[in-house]
Amino acid sequence: MNPVRRPPPGDRPLKTLERVLSKAGAGSRTEARKWIAKGRVKVNGRVVTDPDEWVDLERDKIAMDGKPLAKETPAYVLLYKPTGYLTTYRDPAGRPTVFDLLPDRERYLFTVGRLDLDTSGLLILTNDTAFAERLNNPDYKVPKTYLVKASKVLDDEALERLRRGIELEDGPTRPAKVERLREAGGTKTVFEITITEGRNRQVRRMVEALDAIVLKLVRVAIGPIRIGDLQMGKTRELTKDEVNTLTKGR
Ligand code: URA
């Protein structure tokens, strides 16, 4: 029996070399260990004989008998993240992460951007680096829409400031779309905001600049894709059309 080795902490989904090979070669893990032990496997040009070495499928170049491993078929998964789940692959403190919600944890996927622990809503996971980079790149302006409940009544001028752009410590925000939905209990404001950037805690900080705090934050749409029928905590595959719409030039 091999001792169980924990993956090093970090945000990237790592797999053991043995697991990656057995999946790619559709052989058993025992067979994969033998291939590795025989020195048939290289990681980034270096022979690795430790089957428990952690590898990053997207970043490490893995070859067997001199042939690069075949790329996995691209996958695009939409998750309705509940609050209380971290957008990270592993939490050293053992708290639940969005990866715990995936039906197939073995599948190699990483998240496109992040949602705060206290934010719920849509999150995309993929194994396609180019797609992820494009979606995260503010120059492509993929709009993300959030439902916000703010801790006080925000007048029209306050919402207009959000629309025009607010000075934050890391620079002014780009113009945003803002739609007032209702005043909750006469003491709070519920509105939707659509932004094309994804800075750290951006919506929360924008609302804080108006001397209010965010009581509830839900990402209700990424581009034209809305939550629809998706249940909280569940996933569905994005359709080809959805993937194309998200990546087409704007
Ligand atoms: N803005 C935030 O403040 N938090 C999120 O999780 C997403 C956008």
Side-chain angles (χ1 to χ4, degrees):
M1 279 289 278
N2 298 297
V4 176
R5 277 208 231 154
R6 290 195 175 284
D11 284 350
R12 301 286 303 178
L14 303 180
K15 305 269 179 213
T16 61
L17 188 56
E18 161 210 84
R19 187 165 292 222
V20 167
L21 275 182
S22 71
K23 278 215 139 193
S28 70
R29 288 170 66 175
T30 318
E31 280 171 310
R33 292 184 92 85
K34 285 189 192 143
W35 303 332
I36 298 165
K38 283 191 178 150
R40 292 172 64 186
V41 180
K42 283 187 180 170
V43 177
N44 301 324
R46 172 180 66 93
V47 172
V48 172
T49 51
D50 177 3
D52 296 320
E53 174 131 334
W54 295 105
V55 290
D56 182 329
L57 256 187
E58 272 294 308
R59 295 187 176 168
D60 293 326
K61 298 210 174 354
I62 304 160
M64 167 127 151
D65 297 334
K67 282 193 222 117
L69 287 199
K71 277 251 170 213
E72 281 190 299
T73 23
Y76 308 94
V77 172
L78 187 68
L79 167 71
Y80 183 173
K81 174 195 173 299
T83 58
Y85 284 79
L86 290 165
T87 310
T88 183
Y89 193 64
R90 285 174 300 280
D91 179 44
R95 289 171 296 175
T97 81
V98 292
F99 289 88
D100 296 330
L101 296 166
L102 301 183
D104 178 6
R105 230 203 126 139
E106 286 301 297
R107 208 164 162 194
Y108 175 85
L109 293 173
F110 52 87
T111 61
V112 180
R114 292 162 170 271
L115 289 177
D116 299 336
L117 185 65
D118 291 344
T119 305
S120 59
L122 295 182
L123 189 66
I124 293 177
L125 296 102
T126 185
N127 56 5
D128 179 343
T129 314
F131 168 81
E133 278 168 7
R134 202 164 168 134
L135 230 67
N136 273 338
N137 184 337
D139 291 341
Y140 286 105
K141 296 199 177 126
V142 177
K144 283 136 197 148
T145 305
Y146 296 86
L147 178 82
V148 185
K149 187 189 218 181
S151 62
K152 68 178 204 190
V153 174
L154 298 174
D155 61 16
D156 289 344
E157 170 51 25
L159 295 190
E160 196 50 38
R161 283 182 63 200
L162 294 177
R163 280 188 197 102
R164 279 198 305 263
I166 280 212
E167 192 60 45
L168 297 179
E169 60 186 24
D170 50 357
T173 58
R174 289 184 177 181
K177 282 194 197 138
V178 178
E179 190 188 345
R180 183 191 295 281
L181 295 181
R182 59 183 182 275
E183 240 91 85
T187 53
K188 300 170 183 72
T189 304
V190 180
F191 64 94
E192 270 195 10
I193 182 165
T194 303
I195 56 175
T196 54
E197 304 163 281
R199 296 197 230 159
N200 188 29
R201 299 185 70 256
Q202 179 166 342
V203 176
R204 291 177 200 276
R205 290 190 291 136
M206 289 172 80
V207 171
E208 282 158 19
L210 303 173
D211 293 324
I213 56 167
V214 167
L215 300 175
K216 184 174 177 181
L217 190 57
V218 186
R219 180 146 77 189
V220 291
I222 301 177
I225 300 164
R226 295 193 71 99
I227 291 177
D229 293 339
L230 190 59
Q231 302 283 303
M232 192 184 281
K234 299 289 182 204
T235 59
R236 72 167 175 86
E237 306 282 322
L238 288 179
T239 65
K240 274 209 173 83
D241 278 353
E242 287 173 329
V243 172
N244 290 341
T245 333
L246 289 173
T247 45
K248 77 167 189 262
R250 262 152 236 275

